[in-house]
Amino acid sequence: MMNKQIKRWGLLTVTALTAVSLTACGGNTTTSTKTGESAKPSGGAAATAAVVDNKPVKLRIVWWGSQARHDATLKALDAYTKKHPNVTFEPEFSGFDGYADKLATQAAAKNAPDVIQMDPAWLAEYSGRNQLVDLSKGINTADIDKSLVDSGKYKDKLYAIPLGNNATGMLFNKNAVDKLGITPPANGWTWDQYFQFGRDAKAKLEKDKYALMDATNDYTVYSSYQSSQGKGYPVTVDGKFNLDKDTYITYAKKYADLRKEGVVPPPDVATTDKESDAKMDLMNNDTVLIKRSFAALLPGFDGVKPGAYKFVTQPKGVQASGFLKPSMFWSISADSKNIEASKAFIDWFVNDTEAADILTTTRGVPVSKKVLEYLTPKLTPADKQQIELIKNVAPDAQPFNPGAKGWSNYTAKDFKDIGEKVMFGKITPEAAYDELVKKAKDYQ
């Protein structure tokens, strides 16, 4: 059922994106929302907004992201308060590093913020522990593809509202690659071509510069690599351990060779990477040329080096390795005392054109078809790159695996920690595989 839903979402997404792309190229389609006119919440959300209009409310809200996302979100919160002066916000925001641990600690202490930016990989965990509010009523989802809405469900209840369409890809510094005079990455390339690109680039780079990221400790990259070899995901959607021994050892040894050749950074450098951080992200500070990323993260990178970056699909094996996913969600804490006000805010955030003008694609391609149609003529080249990546990944995308309940610590922490032991030469790839198998028994 999951595969059918994801494939349907992929097809619907591409159809919608193709339509709006044609509009942006000069088609005669007329938008259903007039420029400058805010879309009105409908149904339950309109009633909710009316209920909370005169009641002073302070909403705690938390998210991760780049500076571009922080700036846009803060501006959106100010705009919402101007529309609803009784609603103010207490924002908490950071980079991705450390976000999951802090949120888990807050939730366990029943002190989570009212409105929570939720990653698809954690949704089953929080929903399964009854830490989120059912959002089936009070938020207008009529203009969002049903299968994308369903990605926010757990056991048939809606616990999360998707905020953007997203795809995984490889982001590279086109300006730097052009200066090196080497053949740039291209859609449809293979893993062998990816590794060779790294070697070709390293041959022309300065001593303290590197071509590729060391992905030995990166579960997302390894998961894509294994699935592209036709071996499925290392942990299946239903929580079965499926780490393929030969594939893992081959993968770890490839990166060991790349470390020896200086194609990837040494471990003391590689482990300093902080995704989307303006100074600590190894792409942003010019330490590497290319890394695994997501379409929705492009505005953050582009904000640091405007026009420098370009997306291509992830390398393929016997099949493609890329996948489509909701970029992230808004959820509401089950401990919130401001549930109705939080729903009204989320409805505005997703469906209102004033919000869209402020937020643009800082959380991925907008999920509301009406909002996307309204926004498309205003999109920047970086925004359009997000749409283009989604279109390129969709035709042969892997089924999206949001993460099985009970396994999030394994995929986010254990795989990383054991991978770093390999990177620092403390254990062999074979020993790492044995450790991963042993550790998995704690989760089965």
Side-chain angles (χ1 to χ4, degrees), residues 7 116 151 227 362 399 414:
K7 287 185 178 182
I116 300 168
S151 70
S227 65
T362 52
D414 296 336

Side-chain angles (χ1 to χ4, degrees), residues 273-291:
D273 179 64
K274 291 190 177 181
E275 189 170 67
S276 298
D277 186 287
K279 295 180 179 178
M280 299 297 288
D281 188 295
L282 295 185
M283 274 277 286
N284 277 334
N285 65 24
D286 295 322
T287 301
V288 299
L289 289 176
I290 187 168
K291 70 182 299 187

Side-chain angles (χ1 to χ4, degrees), residues 51-258:
V51 167
V52 300
D53 266 352
N54 297 317
K55 177 185 175 185
V57 174
K58 177 175 279 189
L59 296 179
R60 290 174 61 209
I61 180 170
V62 64
W63 71 88
W64 76 84
S66 63
Q67 192 60 47
R69 185 180 296 164
H70 300 333
D71 292 343
T73 307
L74 291 170
K75 190 175 178 182
L77 300 185
D78 286 343
Y80 190 80
T81 296
K82 285 179 182 177
K83 289 175 75 75
H84 304 284
N86 62 302
V87 182
T88 56
F89 294 91
E90 185 179 323
E92 302 173 25
F93 51 91
S94 66
F96 189 74
D97 191 58
Y99 179 94
D101 290 340
K102 182 179 179 181
L103 180 60
T105 301
Q106 290 176 321
K110 296 187 178 298
N111 187 39
D114 299 285
V115 182
I116 300 168
Q117 186 169 287
M118 177 66 56
D119 189 272
W122 316 328
L123 184 59
E125 296 280 351
Y126 282 84
S127 303
R129 291 195 295 258
N130 299 314
Q131 291 175 320
L132 303 177
V133 170
D134 183 359
L135 303 179
S136 300
K137 296 181 180 178
I139 298 172
N140 177 23
T141 60
D143 296 320
I144 306 173
D145 284 336
K146 182 180 181 299
S147 51
L148 187 53
V149 174
D150 288 347
S151 70
K153 288 184 175 180
Y154 176 77
K155 292 188 175 179
D156 295 325
K157 287 189 177 181
L158 185 65
Y159 291 103
I161 302 297
L163 299 180
N165 287 315
N166 205 4
T168 183
M170 288 288 183
L171 186 67
F172 70 97
N173 188 324
K174 184 178 183 299
N175 291 350
V177 169
D178 287 346
K179 287 180 182 178
L180 292 177
I182 59 175
T183 302
N187 292 319
W189 60 339
T190 66
W191 287 104
D192 286 343
Q193 288 171 323
Y194 170 69
F195 295 132
Q196 187 58 49
F197 166 78
R199 292 185 168 100
D200 292 344
K202 180 58 185 177
K204 296 193 174 187
L205 284 167
E206 298 173 21
K207 186 177 180 181
D208 61 343
K209 302 295 181 183
Y210 307 91
L212 313 180
M213 290 287 291
D214 190 337
T216 306
N217 63 341
D218 189 327
Y219 180 82
T220 301
V221 174
Y222 176 71
S223 184
S224 292
Y225 181 84
Q226 179 173 305
S227 65
S228 77
Q229 308 304 318
K231 304 291 185 178
Y233 285 111
V235 178
T236 64
V237 174
D238 56 356
K240 293 178 181 174
F241 184 65
N242 185 46
L243 186 72
D244 185 75
K245 182 175 183 179
D246 290 343
T247 304
Y248 176 80
I249 292 173
T250 297
Y251 174 89
K253 286 183 174 179
K254 281 180 185 292
Y255 277 99
D257 290 341
L258 294 170

Side-chain angles (χ1 to χ4, degrees), residues 21-42:
S21 295
L22 290 173
T23 302
C25 293
N28 295 320
T29 304
T30 303
T31 60
S32 56
T33 307
K34 295 178 182 178
T35 302
E37 184 177 282
S38 294
K40 300 290 191 295
S42 65

